[in-house]
Amino acid sequence: MSETPLRADAARNRELLLDSAVRLFAARGPDAPLEDVAAAAGVGVATLYRRFPTREDLLLAVADRKMDAYEQVLRTAQAIADPWTAFASYVENFCAAQAADGRLADILTMVFPAAREFEARRMALYNGYLALVRDAQAAGALRADYSPEDLPVLLMANAGVLRATAETAPGAWKRFVAYMLQAFCASHQREDLPPAPTPRQMMRSMQQVTACHGRSAPDAR
């Protein structure tokens, strides 16, 4: 059975709440009081709970909006003919989106490992990324020992850089990512690397981050 479309005013309120949640969560993290989200949207708390009965529902909706942006990063890379430039574009733009997210990056870490609603989109994004990796390696531009799991490690490290430099050196992440791309480039390869984490290890790492967020979060009403 298809969902009943929202009335115009209900749809407008939903978008106002999402806009507000994106701004507040980016600035204050996913534990920002939902009352503040409603106030910033100019609606009552009861309206928020009608649209999003739980904090998780709101986090999922915010993450869904952010997934749109990450899918655009992939489409931009896929439109580039040169395999290395396409791969580098994906990494740079993904990290740029992460930088623009502020503390929304915490939401993506919290939501994606567990939310089945995102499985198809996440896998399509991942498979598109894998194709970029294969093409760049086949062209001899990306070092042969690069592992797809190196990107999640880079994103975790970049999240730390962003948190540490957000107020004092907000562009520091760009230099860090440029250094990493040089390390990934086959022409800069100097020596063999230690083994990359396995996909299972990376998933468990992300779940551990999620668990830590859950232990430190206040009442999620």
Side-chain angles (χ1 to χ4, degrees):
M1 184 174 63
S2 61
E3 292 187 5
T4 303
L6 293 175
R7 299 191 320 271
D9 59 337
R12 182 176 63 255
N13 286 340
R14 186 180 191 278
E15 290 306 305
L16 288 171
L17 285 164
L18 276 176
D19 291 342
S20 172
V22 167
R23 290 193 304 271
L24 283 180
F25 290 161
R28 296 162 59 181
D31 300 327
L34 298 187
E35 293 80 1
D36 291 357
V37 173
V43 302
V45 175
T47 298
L48 183 149
Y49 283 117
R50 278 197 298 272
R51 300 279 72 84
F52 306 102
T54 68
R55 181 180 293 271
E56 182 183 44
D57 292 326
L58 182 57
L59 292 175
L60 285 169
V62 169
D64 192 53
R65 179 180 282 190
K66 296 309 301 181
M67 179 63 93
D68 293 341
Y70 289 114
E71 288 172 343
Q72 181 56 49
V73 167
L74 176 62
R75 289 192 292 270
T76 297
Q78 290 172 329
I80 298 173
D82 177 71
W84 170 256
T85 306
F87 170 80
S89 166
Y90 183 80
V91 173
E92 289 172 345
N93 289 332
F94 208 108
C95 290
Q98 185 186 30
D101 284 345
R103 295 188 62 187
L104 280 176
D106 294 342
I107 294 177
L108 303 183
T109 302
M110 292 169 65
V111 169
F112 285 175
R116 293 185 182 276
E117 295 92 331
F118 286 93
E119 189 61 27
R121 297 183 74 183
R122 181 173 58 186
M123 287 308 301
L125 188 67
Y126 184 66
N127 288 332
Y129 158 64
L130 290 181
L132 295 174
V133 171
R134 287 194 299 268
D135 290 347
Q137 287 179 327
L142 177 62
R143 54 189 297 162
D145 58 353
Y146 175 87
S147 166
E149 307 315 313
D150 288 332
L151 181 58
V153 173
L154 168 58
L155 293 173
M156 289 180 182
N158 193 44
V161 172
L162 290 166
R163 281 193 295 270
T165 63
E167 296 184 3
T168 56
W173 69 271
K174 297 178 183 179
R175 184 175 177 87
F176 170 65
V177 172
Y179 271 131
M180 294 307 302
L181 281 171
Q182 285 188 12
F184 297 156
C185 184
S187 63
H188 287 83
Q189 183 171 346
R190 293 291 181 269
E191 58 186 36
D192 292 339
L193 296 172
T198 66
R200 178 176 175 80
Q201 287 171 325
M202 288 309 306
M203 179 59 70
R204 292 181 65 183
S205 296
M206 294 176 70
Q207 290 170 339
Q208 185 174 3
V209 171
T210 303
C212 289
H213 278 295
R215 287 195 296 270
S216 62
D219 184 358
R221 285 190 307 155

